[in-house]
Amino acid sequence: KNQVEQSPQSLIILEGKNCTLQCNYTVSPFSNLRWYKQDTGRGPVSLTIMTFSENTKSNGRYTATLDADTKQSSLHITASQLSDSASYICVVRGGSQGNLIFGKGTKLSVKP
Amino acid sequence: GAVVSQHPSRVICKSGTSVKIECRSLDFQATTMFWYRQFPKQSLMLMATSNEGSKATYEQGVEKDKFLINHASLTLSTLTVTSAHPEDSSFYICSASSSGGPHEQFFGPGTRLTVL
């Protein structure tokens, strides 16, 4: 079954600290993996998108990694800011239909 | 980046009434639009896929007669929740793609529906 699992479910960190969010998937065939940021009550906003051949991709303070062999991805946030408080969703495109398969997200809270 | 808007952003209605949600692509032509539903602390669940000018394709378990989708133009898709019930209360999000299939999708800001 095509699934995307994220951990931790929630995370609280202090402003200025770094953190890493994890994503494991069992989607096959794999097309690409995306990380989205979803503020409360808003739609998801794309942070990064990686294909099979890409190992790492950065977008400002966000750095995503992908290990297609172990089917794992991570999102590292550097020097967190209060505005980083949101849900971060890992989404894998793949499967026989090529649909987007969503993880449940990690809810990040950055405290002052 | 491409902008997708939704209207209204939140709506409260009485049980048994119908509610229409609009999804617009503001600066590109959306060949395909997707409708998702998200319950609290859950991931987005695809409800249906609509291509401009043709009937929507519904995911298993989604009632097509209850969730009416119209994609009459390349910039507008509407979702009508008919005879709404409290269990239909959810966050409805649309996304739009400028090419056929689930390629790069741009998400709208969502619509919070509360059915009393």
Side-chain angles (χ1 to χ4, degrees):
Chain A
K1 184 179 179 182
N2 292 318
Q3 287 185 314
V4 176
E5 301 284 345
Q6 290 187 244
S7 63
Q9 194 172 46
S10 62
L11 181 64
I12 301 174
I13 61 173
L14 293 177
E15 186 179 11
K17 298 296 185 181
N18 305 334
C19 68
T20 301
L21 314 180
Q22 300 291 342
C23 173
N24 297 334
Y25 62 92
T26 57
V27 179
S28 181
F30 171 88
S31 180
N32 57 53
L33 184 146
R34 311 146 185 251
W35 282 93
Y36 286 91
K37 178 185 179 186
Q38 185 178 22
D39 292 310
T40 301
R42 306 291 294 175
V45 175
S46 180
L47 296 175
T48 63
I49 176 172
M50 290 185 291
T51 59
F52 185 89
S53 59
E54 295 176 292
N55 299 122
T56 184
K57 182 164 282 189
S58 293
N59 178 1
R61 295 180 295 103
Y62 301 103
T63 299
T65 65
L66 174 64
D67 185 334
D69 292 330
T70 62
K71 299 187 176 182
Q72 295 180 327
S73 176
S74 67
L75 180 69
H76 186 74
I77 303 175
T78 304
S80 61
Q81 300 176 357
L82 298 179
S83 59
D84 292 332
S85 296
S87 286
Y88 291 84
I89 306 173
C90 175
V91 184
V92 177
R93 179 188 163 199
S96 59
Q97 304 278 345
N99 289 330
L100 297 185
I101 301 164
F102 291 78
K104 290 186 177 181
T106 292
K107 185 174 176 61
L108 174 66
S109 297
V110 181
K111 303 294 185 183
Chain B
V3 179
V4 176
S5 70
Q6 281 185 241
H7 178 79
S9 58
R10 56 179 62 226
V11 57
I12 300 173
C13 69
K14 292 182 178 179
S15 185
T17 61
S18 294
V19 174
K20 179 185 285 187
I21 302 170
E22 293 186 349
C23 176
R24 295 182 184 271
S25 57
L26 299 184
D27 51 1
F28 68 101
Q29 292 186 325
T31 308
T32 307
M33 285 187 169
F34 306 85
W35 285 97
Y36 295 86
R37 182 166 51 181
Q38 185 179 30
F39 292 107
K41 299 184 180 182
Q42 298 294 314
S43 59
L44 278 72
M45 297 297 295
L46 180 65
M47 298 175 65
T49 302
S50 73
N51 292 298
E52 185 267 338
S54 60
K55 288 185 178 180
T57 302
Y58 290 82
E59 295 299 301
Q60 192 172 18
V62 178
E63 300 174 58
K64 63 179 181 180
D65 294 329
K66 180 171 183 62
F67 299 98
L68 303 179
I69 292 173
N70 184 285
H71 191 168
S73 77
L74 286 172
T75 59
L76 173 64
S77 176
T78 61
L79 168 68
T80 301
V81 182
T82 63
S83 187
H85 290 284
E87 57 264 33
D88 297 325
S89 297
S90 186
F91 193 52
Y92 291 86
I93 303 174
C94 74
S95 70
S97 171
S98 60
S99 57
H103 293 276
E104 184 63 53
Q105 294 184 28
F106 301 96
F107 287 86
T111 296
R112 170 73 59 193
L113 170 64
T114 302
V115 184
L116 302 177

